[in-house]
Amino acid sequence: MSLSRRAFLSGCAAMPFCVPLARFAVAETTIGNGTLTTLSDGHLTLPGSFIFEPMPQDDLAPLLSQAGISKTTLTPDCNVSLYRDGTNTVLFDVGAGPDFQPSAGKLLDALGKVDVAPEDVTHVVFTHGHPDHIWGLLDEFDDPLFYDATYMIGRAEWDYWMNPETVNTIGEARASMAVGAKRRLEAIEDAVEFFNGGDEVLPGIQAVSTPGHTPGHMSFEVRQGSEAALVIGDAIGNHHVAFMRPEWPSGSDQDSDLGAKTRAALFDRIVADDLKIAGFHLPKGGIGHVERNDSEFRFVPEAS
């Protein structure tokens, strides 16, 4: 009997020998009758300058010392959010896949550990088109991995990555990101649905425009009644300087000034509405809440 590609991939997702990970379902919270779970896609290894270069260096040093963060090398976690409400099984982003960094691309294994197969995913909703969020879109045959899902992305983000001029204007260091994003988005071009900030993309899930990290970056408020959480993608990209000095520019943002303004406004909304957050690069699974101390903030994870 022949083994189909789909059957093989579905089986591999549940097999412990595919890629060993110590922790898969990193954090979880309930929202009404729904469940928001973060799954580990592994981690990245980045030079500190990728984030810290545009910051005031004399003021930065004591903050990093206080937070216990290296200035030279960063290894941020990658947390993919999975929301299940009994009707829909929604992935926010799809991780890095096998072609970005060897320490990332573990989402398929993590899904298997929570008994979710690729065909169980009803919707894939993208925050933005950077490699660690979208390069896991395709399988080894260059077909969409989540083959029964509806794909959804903000119109501005789609237009940016699909524009053939983006590779020429994004800068040499990010040119491969543009090529990789366009290739993957082209694979779902005939099946993707678009939305704008403020739209209800699915029942109980509202898109929140949070540009700066990329031109069309989106966050998502997941709400049932009085219970809600904000899936923030990379709008708040780390648990240290982004919280301690949200107004500082970050080198990880494509528009650092706009990214800082977005970050400040997002913190105000999170605190004012007492929202839980799920952050892609925040520690301990990335689900937690935010505490304000004057002009600074602190991430308090739910996971111990």
Side-chain angles (χ1 to χ4, degrees), residues 224-243:
Q224 285 196 28
S226 62
E227 297 183 11
L230 199 64
V231 178
I232 60 174
D234 285 1
I236 302 172
N238 61 71
H239 68 289
H240 37 84
V241 180
F243 279 74

Side-chain angles (χ1 to χ4, degrees), residues 150-284:
T150 297
Y151 293 91
M152 311 179 79
I153 191 171
R155 179 88 242 188
E157 189 72 359
W158 173 273
D159 289 346
Y160 176 73
W161 294 110
M162 292 297 285
N163 185 339
E165 287 303 309
T166 294
V167 69
N168 300 318
T169 58
I170 196 173
E172 183 178 355
R174 286 185 164 98
S176 64
M177 296 184 181
V179 173
K182 189 172 187 293
R183 182 172 78 83
R184 287 160 176 83
L185 292 176
E186 285 173 341
I188 58 170
E189 190 167 7
D190 295 332
V192 71
E193 296 183 5
F194 303 108
F195 56 84
N196 297 303
D199 290 350
E200 185 178 54
V201 300
L202 289 166
I205 302 177
Q206 183 185 42
V208 180
S209 181
T210 49
H213 185 69
T214 61
H217 188 286
M218 288 283 179
S219 300
F220 300 92
E221 184 177 290
V222 182
R223 177 176 291 277
Q224 285 196 28
S226 62
E227 297 183 11
L230 199 64
V231 178
I232 60 174
D234 285 1
I236 302 172
N238 61 71
H239 68 289
H240 37 84
V241 180
F243 279 74
M244 301 164 84
R245 296 293 185 271
E247 72 279 7
W248 281 6
S250 173
S252 65
D253 293 337
Q254 291 183 214
D255 184 333
S256 58
D257 290 338
L258 180 57
K261 291 177 182 177
T262 292
R263 197 159 41 249
L266 199 56
F267 273 123
D268 286 342
R269 175 174 181 163
I270 291 165
V271 172
D273 294 348
D274 192 24
L275 293 171
K276 294 179 183 179
I277 62 173
F280 195 86
H281 292 305
L282 300 184
K284 300 195 179 211

Side-chain angles (χ1 to χ4, degrees), residues 44-240:
L44 303 181
T45 300
L46 303 171
S49 59
F50 181 71
I51 291 177
F52 302 139
E53 186 172 18
M55 298 178 180
Q57 299 300 302
D58 289 344
D59 295 329
L60 173 65
L63 294 183
L64 296 182
S65 177
Q66 177 183 338
I69 299 297
S70 167
K71 186 178 180 179
T72 58
T73 304
L74 299 171
T75 57
D77 294 338
C78 297
N79 310 303
V80 175
S81 291
L82 172 72
Y83 179 64
R84 292 169 285 182
D85 63 5
T87 300
N88 294 318
T89 297
V90 184
L91 274 180
F92 295 94
D93 299 329
V94 291
D99 299 327
F100 186 48
Q101 292 193 5
S103 59
K106 318 302 185 188
L107 177 60
L108 195 60
D109 305 272
L111 284 166
K113 289 296 182 180
V114 295
D115 296 323
V116 174
E119 64 266 26
D120 297 330
V121 176
T122 61
H123 298 82
V124 172
V125 184
F126 293 110
T127 64
H128 66 296
H130 278 167
D132 49 331
H133 296 255
I134 203 167
W135 280 22
L137 178 62
L138 304 181
D139 63 20
E140 66 232 61
F141 302 95
D142 277 351
D143 293 326
L145 176 60
F146 303 100
Y147 44 85
D148 285 336
T150 297
Y151 293 91
M152 311 179 79
I153 191 171
R155 179 88 242 188
E157 189 72 359
W158 173 273
D159 289 346
Y160 176 73
W161 294 110
M162 292 297 285
N163 185 339
E165 287 303 309
T166 294
V167 69
N168 300 318
T169 58
I170 196 173
E172 183 178 355
R174 286 185 164 98
S176 64
M177 296 184 181
V179 173
K182 189 172 187 293
R183 182 172 78 83
R184 287 160 176 83
L185 292 176
E186 285 173 341
I188 58 170
E189 190 167 7
D190 295 332
V192 71
E193 296 183 5
F194 303 108
F195 56 84
N196 297 303
D199 290 350
E200 185 178 54
V201 300
L202 289 166
I205 302 177
Q206 183 185 42
V208 180
S209 181
T210 49
H213 185 69
T214 61
H217 188 286
M218 288 283 179
S219 300
F220 300 92
E221 184 177 290
V222 182
R223 177 176 291 277
Q224 285 196 28
S226 62
E227 297 183 11
L230 199 64
V231 178
I232 60 174
D234 285 1
I236 302 172
N238 61 71
H239 68 289
H240 37 84

